[in-house]
Amino acid sequence: MEFEEVLEKERAVRKFTDQRVSEKTVRAILADAQRSPSLLNSQPWRAYVASGDVVKEIRAKFKKLTESGEQPREDFASVMKVEWDTYPSQNMATMSDTLNYFLRGEMKQFDEAQITLFNAPTLVFLTIPKKSPAWSIFDLGAFAQTLMLSAVDHGISAMPAHAIVRYPDIIRQYMPIGEDEAIGMGIGLGYKDKRASINDYRSVRENLDRVVKFIK
């Protein structure tokens, strides 16, 4: 697949079908991600892949906690900013408004998607050591983006989401992730449900001239 096509198709998918993704395909995607750059070749990332009954059990426990009002307790809480600068705040507000308009007030689709972990048949949990410099977070982001672009190239859709890692203690009940590792990101992999209208939404991107400055 040409890069422009991959980039065009790489969109957050908020509802997947029940069709499973083969382990062979997931391995190929992760092999591509492993080629991502990192500071001093530190390669701080680790990936833990859940599928089948494990995903169903994690989803059920997450759903129960969320519906009971349990607050998120993600490992990255100490490095996640609660207050946002004006510029990103405006972009988030724009997304909220446009998404609500697109769904014609049916925002329950958006909430349900997060509660059900997007019905993703495969969940990839990405970690870095808790004893890591801030650069390792950047490296993890590079790994995640390469993973998602590779997924598209393999005909697989992806959804990176905070909702997938909000209860790390539940994740550790099923995945061999040590307490010395911080679960930083969760990515759902699967096949896009073409019948779900929420998957047709596309966020608005800023004009290039607002985010890029050429100095000569």
Side-chain angles (χ1 to χ4, degrees):
M1 192 181 298
E2 293 294 328
F3 181 71
E4 284 296 327
E5 186 179 358
V6 170
L7 199 58
E8 175 63 22
K9 290 185 176 181
E10 200 268 303
R11 294 287 186 276
V13 169
R14 294 181 172 84
K15 187 173 183 181
F16 296 93
T17 67
D18 294 329
Q19 183 179 351
R20 298 184 66 172
V21 182
S22 72
E23 181 175 324
K24 180 180 179 180
T25 299
V26 176
R27 280 184 173 274
I29 291 169
L30 290 170
D32 285 344
Q34 179 61 18
R35 298 164 65 182
S36 303
S38 63
L39 178 68
L40 299 174
N41 197 35
S42 55
Q43 303 176 63
W45 50 70
R46 290 293 182 272
Y48 297 83
V49 183
S51 60
D53 290 339
V54 171
V55 167
K56 293 178 181 178
E57 292 185 31
I58 290 175
R59 180 185 296 126
K61 290 190 176 182
F62 268 45
K63 186 174 187 290
K64 183 177 180 180
L65 289 173
T66 300
E67 292 181 336
S68 67
E70 190 77 21
Q71 291 299 306
R73 43 182 178 265
E74 64 279 336
D75 285 346
F76 267 22
S78 60
V79 296
M80 292 178 68
K81 283 187 175 294
V82 176
E83 296 183 4
W84 294 80
D85 189 66
T86 302
Y87 176 54
S89 294
Q90 290 174 342
N91 289 333
M92 288 187 289
T94 298
M95 176 182 172
S96 179
D97 291 341
T98 56
L99 180 60
N100 190 50
Y101 176 78
F102 176 81
L103 294 175
R104 301 299 191 275
E106 295 186 23
M107 284 297 288
K108 61 181 180 181
Q109 290 186 56
F110 185 83
D111 296 332
E112 182 181 351
Q114 297 195 70
I115 291 175
T116 60
L117 302 185
F118 315 98
N119 196 45
T122 298
L123 297 176
V124 182
F125 301 102
L126 302 181
T127 77
I128 57 173
K130 287 184 177 179
K131 291 183 178 181
S132 294
W135 282 111
S136 291
I137 299 175
F138 178 89
D139 293 343
L140 189 67
F143 183 92
Q145 179 67 2
T146 306
L147 187 161
M148 291 185 287
L149 290 173
S150 176
V152 173
D153 195 45
H154 283 84
I156 304 299
S157 295
M159 178 65 202
H162 158 265
I164 298 174
V165 296
R166 61 172 57 190
Y167 303 120
D169 50 318
I170 300 299
I171 298 170
R172 287 189 172 89
Q173 290 178 15
Y174 298 92
M175 313 301 288
I177 303 175
E179 290 295 336
D180 59 337
E181 294 178 71
I183 304 173
M185 175 55 69
I187 299 177
L189 296 177
Y191 294 91
K192 175 182 176 180
D193 185 344
K194 298 180 180 179
R195 300 170 300 175
S197 60
I198 195 171
N199 284 336
D200 296 327
Y201 172 76
R202 290 202 170 189
S203 58
V204 179
R205 293 294 167 171
E206 282 289 346
N207 183 283
L208 186 65
D209 290 332
R210 188 178 180 191
V211 299
V212 178
K213 303 298 180 185
F214 289 94
I215 310 300
K216 298 181 180 179

